[in-house]
Amino acid sequence: DAKTTQPPSMDCAEGRAANLPCNHSTISGNEYVYWYRQIHSQGPQYIIHGLKNNETNEMASLIITEDRKSSTLILPHATLRDTAVYYCIVLSRGGGTSYGKLTFGQGTILTVHP
Amino acid sequence: GAVVSQHPSWVICKSGTSVKIECRSLDFQATTMFWYRQFPKQSLMLMATSNEGSKATYEQGVEKDKFLINHASLTLSTLTVTSAHPEDSSFYICSTGTNTEAFFGQGTRLTVV
């Protein structure tokens, strides 16, 4: 699976958009970009994933560059509860339950302040 | 989506004792489950892969005799930390998944005193 690079930390004001970047320059054609987050002392939580096209769900938007070498997770209106470590993970979608295995980098610590 | 329930959420034990952590897949038949460990201010590190009906596979550096894994059914995997020592104090997390998404337990905070 491709390696990802994220800034170690970011700050965001409550109510503003939080834009979290991720570089994955070695991504291959069949690899997806996934985002998870981990609130302190909890298990990781799925946020969103994409292959080529931009994606949006009730939690966030994912913008993937045309060359797929980088992406940005956007939390449109950050709240204090969005303070967490955000992990960008690139991997192939395999079959069956093998997908539960993820390789986590250091992630980005997002701090949302009042 | 599938829900993974992990128990207990926290445990304090004496050095030298054993602790069992359970991971249940509530609405999903999990032939494979994964166990991670997370030390303070560090990322999650995969410890082992739990396979239903067969032996678990361990990542390099993880002692299989110390971290016993049992996956006797499609809905339950257990991790037993044997002869626990203070350096085993950590946050342990299990997961399973489909070919589109991973589901994580709530995690277990183990403190060995």
Side-chain angles (χ1 to χ4, degrees), chain A residues 34 38 93-94 97 99-100 102 105, chain B residues 36 38 43 95 97-100:
Chain A
Y34 277 76
Q38 185 180 24
R93 277 166 59 162
T97 56
Y99 181 64
L102 300 178
Chain B
Y36 297 81
Q38 185 176 32
S43 189
S95 77
T98 65
N99 61 351
T100 58

Side-chain angles (χ1 to χ4, degrees), chain A residues 3-7 21-26 69-71 88 90:
Chain A
K3 179 180 172 59
T4 63
T5 304
Q6 299 177 251
C22 179
N23 286 323
H24 32 78
S25 59
T26 61
K69 293 185 177 181
S70 66
S71 61
C88 170
V90 172

Side-chain angles (χ1 to χ4, degrees), chain A residues 3-34:
Chain A
K3 179 180 172 59
T4 63
T5 304
Q6 299 177 251
S9 64
M10 293 185 67
D11 286 346
C12 177
E14 188 177 20
R16 304 296 294 269
N19 299 290
L20 292 88
C22 179
N23 286 323
H24 32 78
S25 59
T26 61
I27 192 171
S28 61
N30 65 341
E31 289 182 316
Y32 287 72
V33 179
Y34 277 76

Side-chain angles (χ1 to χ4, degrees), chain B residues 24-75:
Chain B
R24 293 183 183 274
S25 176
L26 298 183
D27 58 355
F28 176 71
Q29 293 189 325
T31 56
T32 305
M33 288 187 175
F34 302 92
W35 288 95
Y36 297 81
R37 179 168 55 182
Q38 185 176 32
F39 291 109
K41 299 189 184 301
Q42 295 186 23
S43 189
L44 286 80
M45 295 297 295
L46 181 67
M47 297 176 64
T49 301
S50 169
N51 303 296
E52 188 267 336
S54 65
K55 291 182 179 180
T57 55
Y58 292 80
E59 297 299 303
Q60 188 174 9
V62 178
E63 300 176 55
K64 63 179 181 179
D65 295 329
K66 180 171 184 61
F67 299 98
L68 301 180
I69 291 175
N70 183 278
H71 194 155
S73 76
L74 289 173
T75 59

